[in-house]
Amino acid sequence: MSLTKTERTLIVSMWAKISTQADTIGTETLERLFLSYPQTKTYFPHFDLHPGSAQLQAHGSKVVAAVGDAAKNIDNIGAALSKLSELHAYVLRVDPVNFKLLSHCLLVTLAARFPADFTAEAHAAWDKFLAVVSSVLTEKYR
Amino acid sequence: MGHFTEEDKATITSLWGKVNVEDAGGETLGRLLVVYPWTQRFFDSFGNLSSASAIMGNPKVKAHGKKVLTSLGDAVKNLDDLKGTFAQLSELHCDKLHVDPENFRLLGNVLVCVLAHHFGKEFTPQVQAAYQKVVAGVANALAHKYH
């Protein structure tokens, strides 16, 4: 699965808007994840997960920053996220099913915050992009 | 399966009251076909599905989307007995339509995106969580009679 030129353009242009709200988008995405899919909290026993917690905000920023790295290096996501890929494979070992859940919650956050931009085509492009990011992050699992 | 608290039910019902089933139905089915093009396999008779704009403007997609979402409205009214409510539709989807239940999960998540798109801030994480329970419950109910 690889991104077309049109899809890359859509992703990069939307990223420009997202980056201005990156931190709050990250926090909201994680809030959505933990509420809709409580089992995902099992990866964060060491965190204070209350809305507004500093840890939640810091982690949300991290996640969205990584998505941004992928968007800024959209022609070579594998290289851009190589270290993160190793981290997930050898240290974090988050079950692959959770990448779909997080991706969905990010899409929902984008849909809610960018109604004019979240057209059917943008929706498709972002869903595909996040699937590519997810597969990069799991490609060293075994 | 999923249990709906009284708070869930109030949240779900109140938002659903503001949903335009015709518009949301067309949006939801259309986006399913755009975002997951392999789902078009069930709709050979629908005519032009050659581009995102063709799909989103297709009158058969809109009509069928409305049908699907109207049925989901029944779910909202019967949250405590989704399996009973969807028993016949489950048999239909298995025996006549031959739809892989994975498609129900895809459609459910597209609906959640469409609701977020339409309601914006109002579609809070709490509201989303309640609706994820609905779409998961409906997907399971529709798969329940498969054999």
Side-chain angles (χ1 to χ4, degrees), chain A residues 68-83:
Chain A
D69 284 342
K72 282 178 264 171
N73 294 280
I74 201 157
D75 293 326
N76 198 347
I77 297 174
L81 298 189
S82 171
K83 282 262 135 34

Side-chain angles (χ1 to χ4, degrees), chain B residues 21-49:
Chain B
V21 163
E22 181 164 5
D23 289 345
E27 241 345 88
T28 300
L29 187 62
R31 280 174 186 256
L32 180 77
L33 300 174
V34 169
V35 178
Y36 309 108
W38 55 94
T39 59
Q40 293 170 24
R41 70 190 299 285
F42 301 107
F43 301 105
D44 280 339
S45 63
F46 272 28
N48 187 4
L49 298 179

Side-chain angles (χ1 to χ4, degrees), chain A residues 31-32 35-37 104-105 108 111-112 115 118-121 123-124 127, chain B residues 31 34-36 52 109 112-113 116-117 120 123-126 128-129 132:
Chain A
E31 259 185 68
R32 289 182 182 280
L35 266 174
S36 283
Y37 307 106
H104 171 65
C105 290
V108 171
F118 198 71
T119 60
E121 277 136 322
H123 182 168
D127 191 280
Chain B
R31 280 174 186 256
V34 169
V35 178
Y36 309 108
N109 279 338
V112 167
C113 288
H117 191 221
F123 198 71
T124 63
Q126 291 78 3
Q128 178 188 351
Q132 296 292 168

